[in-house]
Each structure stands twice: as C-alpha cells, then as structure tokens.
Amino acid sequence: ISVSRQHRTAYHFQPPKNWINDPNGPMYYNGIYHLFYQYNPKGSVWGNIVWAHSISKDLINWRTLEPALYPSKPFDKFGCWSGSATIVPGKGPVILYTGVVDDKQTQVQCYAVPEDLNDPLLRKWVKPDKFNPILVANKGVNGSAFRDPTTAWWSKDGHWKILVGSRRKRRGIAYLYRSKDFMTWVQAKHPIHSKGETGMWECPDFYPVLVNGNQGLETSEGGNHVKHVFKNSLDMTRFDYYTVGTYFEDKDRYVPDNTSVDGWGGLRYDYGNFYASKSFFDPSKNRRILWGWANESDTKEDDVRKGWAGIQAIPRTVWLDSTGRQLVQWPVEELNNLRGKEVNMNSQKLQKGDYVEVKGITAAQADVEVTFSFASLDKAETYDPKWVNAQDLCAQKGSKLQGGVGPFGLLTLASQNLEEFTPVFFRIFKGPVKHVVLLCSDATSSSLKSNMYKPSFAGFVDVDLATNKKLSLRSLIDHSVVESFGEGGKTNILSRVYPQLAVANQGHLFVFNNGTEPISVENLKAWSMKPADIK
Ligand code: FRU
C-alpha cells in the first residue's frame, strides 16, 4: 500500500479525501442517522468550509451525499461553520449553523431546513432569506468569537432556547437566546454560564442525563430525575471539558456540582485527541450518542502529501456514572458487527518485564477487551500530590520505567521487535487518601519517524481498588488510531499515531507488565475488525 493510504482508517469514519473537522448537526430522522461535518472540498488543510453530509442506518457504515450547506449567501459567504440540528415536533429538522460574513471572520447564526421533507435522505437544504441570519452579535458581544449554536431545547415557559459559544477577553461564555417560533431570537440578560481565564468556548453542548440509569434523554427533558451536562471545547488546549450540574430553568442559569471542577482542571470526555464534539438523542434506541473529531498528529506537509486529514472517533453512547460525579462512554454496540476472527487469552501471568504477544488477529485493525488483576497494592509507588497533571506524569514515567503496581497494559501497533509501539497502560500510586490510578496512551515510541506530535496522553481513573483489584481496558486499533476506554469508559484516550514498521500485517499486539507486582491477564478477547463500508 502507498504511503498516503497506509494510515487510513478501516472503520473510523473518514471521507475518501480532503480535510474534515467538527461533527455537525448529528441526528436520527425517519430511520436514518445523519452526520454532517466541517469539510474542505478543495484540499487537505482547513479552509473553504462546507457542511459535508453522510447517512447511515447503523452509525458505522456510511454513504456520502452532496454537501448540505455551502457558502451561497451574503451571510455565509466566507464559510458554513459548526452548528446543530433540532427536530421541531410537527415541522421536522432545522439546522442552526454559524455563517462567516467577511474576511475578518465576523460570525452570525443562520438556519436551514430541508428543501423537501418527503426526500427520505434530506439531500437538499435551503436557507430562507426571510429570517436569515437569525442572530447577529449584539452590542457587547464579540462578533468574531460568536459561534457554534447548540441543539435547541423547549422550556416549560413556552420558549425554544439555544446557546452560542463566545468569549469576552479571556472569559469563556455561553450566551443564551430564546425564541417562540424558532425564527426570532432574543438574547437573555445573562449568559447561561461563563468562566474566567478559559478563552473561547467553541462548540458548547448542553443536555440532560438520567440520574439513575444509562438511557439517554431527549434534549428538552427536565425534572428531578435529571442532571445536566455542560461541555465546551477550549480552543487554548484543544480539549473538550465538561461539568455535571444543575440547570435552573426559571433563571436560565447552569451551576456545576461541587464535585465537578469548572475549567482547565476539569473532566474531559477524552484525554487524547478528541475535539469539537457534539451529542444527540437517538430515540430508536433511547440513548445519547457522542461524536468527536480526531485531528491528525502528523505535519501539515504530510497531510498535503496524504491528501486527507481528520477522522471522526467511533460514536459513543454516553450516560451518567452511578457515582453522579462523571460520565461514562462506550462505543455504540453496532460496532461489534464488524468483529471477525476472535482470539482469547485467559489467566496469563505477567511477571516484571514480561510481554506476551496476542497472536492470530489483524493487530493493526482490531478491537481488544481485557481485564487485568493483581493480588496486592502494597508495592504501589507513593503518589506525590504535586502530580496534578496526568499527561506530565505519564511523560515523566512512561511505560519503560519500572514501577510497583504497573505499568501494565497493552502494546498496540507494535513492530515485531518493538522498535515501534503505542502502549496503553495503567500505573497505580499510593495516595494520601486512596489509590491513584493513571491511564496512559503514550505515543512517544509510536513511530520511527520524527518531526511529529507524539504526546503522552493520560488521565486519572476514579475507581476504588480496595474492594476490587481489577482494571479493565478496551482499545480500538485502526492503523493510525488507538482509541481506548478505561474501566468501562470512565477515562478515555484517543491517540493518532503513524508507525513506519508496524503497518498493515506487520502490526502486532502484546500484553505487558513492567511493575514488580505480578499481574494476571484474567481475560482478554481480541477481534480482527472487518472494514466499515464507507463510500
Ligand atoms: C472548532 C471550530 C468551530 C468553528 C469550526 C470552523 O474546531 O473552530 O468553533 O465553527 O471549527 O471550521
């Protein structure tokens, strides 16, 4: 295979060529899933942005249609930027998106509706002139930082409500707008939420989750049985942060719980390469699904050479953890239909320094689920309370530096003699109160090629090991993607890597332990993955 194709994904969504970024307006309508996304029809770097449009019956296999939105009006002449879809009862879907009106990147909000609601694929979208643009920046609002409208929700007070991301100087802001008819929108006196020193809030998302249970909720649902999730994409770090909290509907204010840190130190959907995400409610299976964009980690020049850049992460079902402190995410169940040949490993002991190959699958295109266990936590290294940043800690310790309990986990996309590998692993520390569990996905050794971004992505896992000395991990390996879910989806990390040796059938998978405490691979299942049908 050619160099430009060897890192293409087999089952993560990507178009045949060119640049993509944010997922836009995901929805389920009349039996079909729609995914729109930021797309450059003219090349593999950002620019000339349109809303590309793909449809699916199962969220895994896709057909691409003509772009749904492209610059065609004075209010979106310089780009059709991110936005959301709302299904208005009795009327059908409406798209709200950001139009860029000039070369100074002045932003306004616009709407579009299907040209023909009887077209089952909703191929053509129109932008009625009567009300467009529906919003321009009011006095006091920064018109070049005013974008990415959310899905609307319907409030008991008889209004539709949406949020638009913004900033004032360094304060991140989500403005709230109300409408009775979906066309005329009025800015609320107060933003729904804001936070100093966080910079531009791109792609806000705001939705209810069940306090008890993993079913998803329609975006307008409220009441005592729900909490709300507020997410924004922080431009300055390129991560998606969220809090869990309460929405006071009468005041139109959102207040994060005291268990949720607001801002930089907060929870992330993913501790790796996952940005500008957006969720939607899927009424066909009563679940909320989360899409997120994973950018390339190679250079712009490489992207030009490859002719493509950007993928979407596997859509994830998302719900509130039973602790109420965080969300849990898991790849949509439809992904399992791509599982082919399966191999197993059971009760495999791993002493310090051991690594054992998982043979018999296409390791560069695979799905792996594994549970590790250990008899004791006594040997865990002491946690230094200065280590607040998981990524720094992972960079400092890596997978090669011997530990007490861990590092142990998977070596993905490994070359036969380990010149290249991307380890996904746990490392356990003895903290002042309880044990601290670190999950790392370390790209440092992922490729012999230099000059690219090889971060040691990592996050902490909120788990109580005192009662249950086990940790589970799932990794979706797809040529240049390692997308991992720790402890059933509590801490997740997507890495983009570009091996030179561990490509195609030269890719290998190992389990390893580099800590003094012996580790048992209680149970490992790995599958060769069939390619998704994406045309
Ligand atoms: C996030 C973002 C959005 C914007 C879009 C432009 O990645 O910058 O804020 O609408 O991408 O493509």
Side-chain angles (χ1 to χ4, degrees):
I1 32 173
S2 71
V3 176
S4 65
R5 298 197 67 84
Q6 68 185 2
H7 294 122
R8 278 185 67 82
T9 58
Y11 61 94
H12 284 76
F13 180 89
Q14 61 177 150
K17 59 176 186 182
N18 295 337
W19 164 275
I20 70 169
N21 56 296
D22 316 359
N24 292 151
M27 64 175 181
Y28 178 84
Y29 187 69
N30 279 348
I32 292 180
Y33 294 100
H34 294 258
L35 174 66
F36 307 89
Y37 44 97
Q38 298 278 285
Y39 179 68
N40 181 355
K42 296 186 183 149
S44 52
V45 297
W46 186 88
N48 315 305
I49 293 294
V50 306
W51 277 43
H53 184 191
S54 296
I55 51 161
S56 172
K57 293 230 153 173
D58 61 7
L59 294 161
I60 299 297
N61 301 294
W62 295 89
R63 282 288 167 276
T64 295
L65 307 176
E66 284 301 296
L69 305 176
Y70 45 87
S72 66
K73 299 273 185 180
F75 50 78
D76 64 11
K77 207 172 158 206
F78 288 77
C80 297
W81 287 11
S82 286
S84 308
T86 305
I87 294 164
V88 179
K91 285 203 177 144
V94 181
I95 284 173
L96 299 180
Y97 69 101
T98 298
V100 181
V101 302
D102 57 24
D103 59 2
K104 293 195 263 334
Q105 301 203 331
T106 302
Q107 295 148 33
V108 299
Q109 315 316 320
C110 316
Y111 87 103
V113 290
E115 187 180 85
D116 175 13
L117 272 176
N118 294 320
D119 171 11
L121 307 184
L122 304 176
R123 267 176 283 223
K124 290 221 158 26
W125 291 73
V126 292
K127 308 160 183 171
D129 282 317
K130 180 136 184 241
F131 290 95
N132 267 318
I134 55 159
L135 283 178
V136 299
N138 284 335
K139 207 165 154 272
V141 173
N142 180 343
S144 58
F146 179 57
R147 58 181 178 270
D148 310 338
T150 63
T151 295
W153 70 96
W154 176 254
S155 265
K156 289 192 292 287
D157 60 16
H159 289 93
W160 286 103
K161 295 173 184 175
I162 56 166
L163 306 179
V164 179
S166 189
R167 70 177 166 86
R168 189 182 294 139
K169 301 226 166 72
R170 296 168 59 88
R171 171 172 288 270
I173 300 178
Y175 291 113
L176 187 138
Y177 293 82
R178 301 190 184 97
S179 173
K180 291 207 162 116
D181 59 2
F182 224 95
M183 303 294 144
T184 307
W185 294 84
V186 176
Q187 188 182 343
K189 249 210 205 103
H190 303 282
I192 192 168
H193 192 46
S194 75
K195 175 86 185 166
E197 298 305 316
T198 52
M200 174 66 193
W201 283 4
E202 297 191 310
C203 302
D205 197 11
F206 185 60
Y207 55 90
V209 284
L210 257 188
V211 174
N212 271 308
N214 55 13
Q215 294 203 345
L217 298 174
E218 208 282 321
T219 308
S220 301
E221 190 143 336
N224 287 331
H225 60 300
V226 320
K227 300 285 307 179
H228 270 77
V229 173
F230 182 86
K231 165 273 187 174
N232 50 50
S233 303
L234 294 187
D235 195 17
M236 291 161 77
T237 49
R238 313 296 291 172
F239 293 121
D240 279 15
Y241 294 83
Y242 72 89
T243 52
V244 178
T246 306
Y247 170 43
F248 296 96
E249 197 167 349
D250 48 337
K251 297 194 199 76
D252 273 330
R253 295 270 203 179
Y254 167 77
V255 180
D257 289 349
N258 57 14
T259 47
S260 267
V261 175
D262 204 6
W264 299 117
L267 294 165
R268 298 184 204 160
Y269 278 153
D270 192 297
Y271 291 82
N273 187 334
F274 185 92
Y275 193 68
S277 64
K278 192 172 298 292
S279 72
F280 74 104
F281 175 62
D282 173 10
S284 75
K285 292 197 173 177
N286 272 311
R287 56 186 173 174
R288 183 162 286 272
I289 293 172
L290 178 67
W291 280 104
W293 161 51
N295 196 4
E296 301 303 304
S297 295
D298 58 3
T299 61
K300 217 179 200 179
E301 292 69 46
D302 283 331
D303 292 346
V304 171
R305 224 166 301 153
K306 290 185 320 205
W308 59 271
I311 63 159
Q312 304 296 347
I314 295 296
R316 305 169 177 183
T317 307
V318 55
W319 67 94
L320 187 65
D321 185 52
S322 57
T323 63
R325 288 194 294 259
Q326 67 161 108
L327 296 172
V328 187
Q329 299 159 56
W330 199 245
V332 292
E333 60 189 15
E334 288 87 340
L335 180 66
N336 299 1
N337 296 332
L338 296 181
R339 287 172 169 177
K341 188 183 174 201
E342 176 180 338
V343 298
N344 288 276
M345 186 182 272
N346 292 304
S347 312
Q348 169 73 51
K349 277 270 169 304
L350 297 174
Q351 304 294 338
K352 183 189 74 189
D354 282 352
Y355 54 97
V356 177
E357 181 162 7
V358 178
K359 288 193 176 140
I361 52 158
T362 56
Q365 190 177 310
D367 181 356
V368 193
E369 286 195 60
V370 55
T371 304
F372 299 99
S373 68
F374 34 90
S376 156
L377 288 162
D378 291 348
K379 299 197 182 79
E381 300 157 81
T382 305
Y383 179 75
D384 181 340
K386 280 203 302 283
W387 294 335
V388 284
N389 185 313
Q391 189 169 330
D392 292 346
L393 181 54
C394 176
Q396 186 183 324
K397 300 253 175 196
S399 63
K400 295 174 211 166
L401 192 73
Q402 190 192 306
V405 186
F408 62 84
L410 302 172
L411 299 181
T412 70
L413 293 173
S415 57
Q416 180 67 75
N417 300 315
L418 299 184
E419 298 92 339
E420 293 180 329
F421 57 97
T422 300
V424 185
F425 59 97
F426 295 104
R427 190 162 191 137
I428 301 165
F429 299 91
K430 214 174 286 166
V433 192
K434 60 176 206 161
H435 286 86
V436 177
V437 179
L438 181 73
L439 176 66
C440 294
S441 177
D442 187 3
T444 314
S445 305
S446 58
S447 177
L448 292 177
K449 191 159 178 262
S450 49
N451 288 330
M452 56 181 161
Y453 182 47
K454 296 178 188 171
S456 304
F457 284 136
F460 294 109
V461 192
D462 184 1
V463 56
D464 187 6
L465 292 176
T467 46
N468 195 15
K469 293 186 182 50
K470 288 183 186 176
L471 284 167
S472 73
L473 179 65
R474 180 174 183 186
S475 288
L476 305 175
I477 304 160
D478 194 4
H479 303 279
S480 59
V481 187
V482 181
E483 184 177 4
S484 301
F485 300 82
E487 265 304 281
K490 287 183 128 189
T491 300
N492 312 312
I493 310 180
L494 192 156
S495 294
R496 298 298 313 278
V497 293
Y498 307 86
Q500 304 299 300
L501 304 173
V503 296
N505 55 13
Q506 300 302 306
H508 297 265
L509 175 70
F510 298 85
V511 287
F512 81 100
N513 175 25
N514 203 12
T516 42
E517 175 70 26
I519 300 295
S520 169
V521 179
E522 282 219 339
N523 179 263
L524 177 147
K525 291 188 165 82
W527 294 265
S528 293
M529 291 296 271
K530 291 173 258 181
D533 181 7
I534 303 173
K535 287 198 193 79

